[in-house]
Amino acid sequence: GVKAENIALMSTFVIPILVALLVYSFGFLLTKRPLFALLLSGLIMFGTILFNMEDLLHLFRGELVYTQLTIWTRPILPTISFLVFFLYLNVLYKALETKSNKWFGVLALVYGLSFYTYLYCFLFLSLFVCVLLITLLIKKDWLLFRGFLLSSVVGALLGSYMIYYLYQVSQNPYYEFLSKSLGLVSSNKLIISTGAVLTTFIFGLFLYFKRQFGEKEILLTSLLVSTFVVVNQQIITGKILQEGHFHWYFNVPVFAIIIIYVLANINKKNISNIFAVLVMLASLYSSIFIQYSSYKYW
């Protein structure tokens, strides 16, 4: 009963504002520093192409190669999946921090909701669930392991109808034809991005010198491992699922989260603050440049 133009207005204006607030909230929970929470929000909302070397060269040279407006102009995905993804991370952090059954209950609800938003959203979260459970098992944190396992099982049960629905789709006589035409490719190739390598190197150095592995490090390590696995599931399955959807909508935000967390924990605050402002300005410039290039093209 809602008009299409109202849905478009919500998904390209209202929901991105909510996403920005959720990203800021998660950034503040991680760093306890408002400047870096704001930086994380700005980087994810405006500057994700800064994680791609080719895009950096286009920006530096002023090459008007962009023909698509920023992702926030697209109704209604990926805005909805970003909303669910960052809501999940906020609730997960509170659950890990407080070990409260209340937060684990909310976590189950959000995880179940993810199944009804976006294929790539619940696939990433499901893989992340597995990695985090393995990490907690290795660390022998039985209290967190039990709470997270139970919330994940309940969430999966809430999302089970969508799994059944996808199974029904796979039985359709047109499924094989449509899956190929929509980008399901047979391949076992390994996919590693520059952003993934750089983030892993920086985070690895950070963990080496910090020599502590608390809840925050468990969370970030599990997220980072998930980014590698989710774009390389084809090594086992032999099928590539448009890895760009995983890369830009989930992996790059994870890279941003980890980089900002490391930056916020650098002891020399003057240097980190200056760098934060420079990254914010670069993020704003990159989105303005994309919009200008796209409007120029059209």
Side-chain angles (χ1 to χ4, degrees):
V2 183
K3 292 182 179 180
E5 55 266 33
N6 291 337
I7 292 292
L9 182 63
M10 284 178 58
S11 63
T12 59
F13 180 68
V14 177
I15 295 176
I17 291 173
L18 297 177
V19 172
L21 292 172
L22 282 171
V23 177
Y24 177 89
S25 171
F26 184 66
F28 186 76
L29 287 173
L30 271 181
T31 66
K32 308 302 181 186
R33 298 178 66 180
L35 174 63
F36 287 89
L38 184 64
L39 174 59
L40 178 63
S41 187
L43 184 56
I44 289 177
M45 300 301 291
F46 301 117
T48 52
I49 67 168
L50 298 178
F51 286 87
N52 183 277
M53 183 57 67
E54 188 176 352
D55 286 310
L56 282 173
L57 291 175
H58 291 322
L59 292 173
F60 182 74
R61 296 167 182 164
E63 296 171 343
L64 302 178
V65 297
Y66 299 100
T67 61
Q68 295 186 42
L69 301 170
T70 64
I71 60 173
W72 306 107
T73 62
R74 302 175 186 176
I76 192 167
L77 290 168
T79 50
I80 288 292
S81 63
F82 268 102
L83 188 69
V84 173
F85 181 61
F86 279 99
L87 180 60
Y88 183 88
L89 291 182
N90 274 274
V91 175
L92 173 61
Y93 184 91
K94 296 299 292 184
L96 293 175
E97 183 183 49
T98 64
K99 301 176 176 62
S100 166
N101 291 332
K102 175 186 71 175
W103 285 110
F104 279 117
V106 178
L107 189 67
L109 184 62
V110 178
Y111 179 46
L113 179 64
S114 72
F115 285 76
Y116 300 94
T117 55
Y118 191 36
L119 175 73
Y120 298 88
C121 184
F122 83 76
L123 285 178
F124 184 92
L125 287 180
S126 296
L127 176 64
F128 171 61
V129 163
C130 296
V131 174
L132 186 52
L133 282 171
I134 292 170
T135 307
L136 291 171
L137 194 61
I138 293 172
K139 201 170 183 294
K140 297 181 179 179
D141 193 330
W142 304 118
L143 182 61
L144 282 178
F145 178 81
R146 286 194 297 269
F148 190 59
L149 177 62
L150 182 59
S151 71
S152 302
V153 170
V154 173
L157 288 174
L158 291 173
S160 59
Y161 176 73
M162 181 54 68
I163 300 298
Y164 173 68
Y165 184 77
L166 287 174
Y167 168 75
Q168 286 186 312
V169 170
S170 70
Q171 302 306 301
N172 189 285
Y174 294 104
Y175 175 76
E176 185 175 357
F177 167 74
L178 286 173
S179 62
K180 289 179 180 178
S181 64
L182 292 172
L184 188 65
V185 180
S186 296
S187 175
N188 297 103
K189 72 174 182 178
L190 179 69
I191 299 173
I192 299 178
S193 68
T194 306
V197 173
L198 183 62
T199 304
T200 303
F201 176 74
I202 292 171
F203 192 52
L205 282 179
F206 172 77
L207 292 177
Y208 176 78
F209 287 109
K210 187 177 183 183
R211 297 186 183 279
Q212 290 180 352
F213 206 74
E215 279 79 9
K216 292 180 181 180
E217 285 71 35
I218 289 174
L219 172 59
L220 296 179
T221 301
S222 300
L223 280 171
L224 185 59
V225 171
S226 299
T227 65
F228 277 99
V229 179
V230 79
V231 293
N232 287 294
Q233 53 77 34
Q234 65 276 359
I235 294 175
I236 297 173
T237 65
K239 301 288 184 181
I240 295 182
L241 287 166
Q242 295 188 8
E243 74 277 6
H245 287 243
F246 286 126
H247 177 76
W248 290 111
Y249 302 155
F250 300 98
N251 289 10
V252 169
V254 169
F255 301 154
I257 289 167
I258 292 172
I259 295 296
I260 298 306
Y261 177 72
V262 172
L263 187 62
N265 281 275
I266 294 176
N267 292 328
K268 296 182 179 180
K269 291 187 177 181
N270 289 335
I271 295 176
S272 62
N273 288 347
I274 291 171
F275 188 75
V277 172
L278 290 175
V279 171
M280 179 64 80
L281 291 174
S283 300
L284 289 169
Y285 170 73
S286 68
S287 267
I288 291 169
F289 189 83
I290 289 173
Q291 296 295 81
Y292 175 76
S293 175
S294 300
Y295 276 113
K296 190 88 171 173
Y297 176 80
W298 290 108

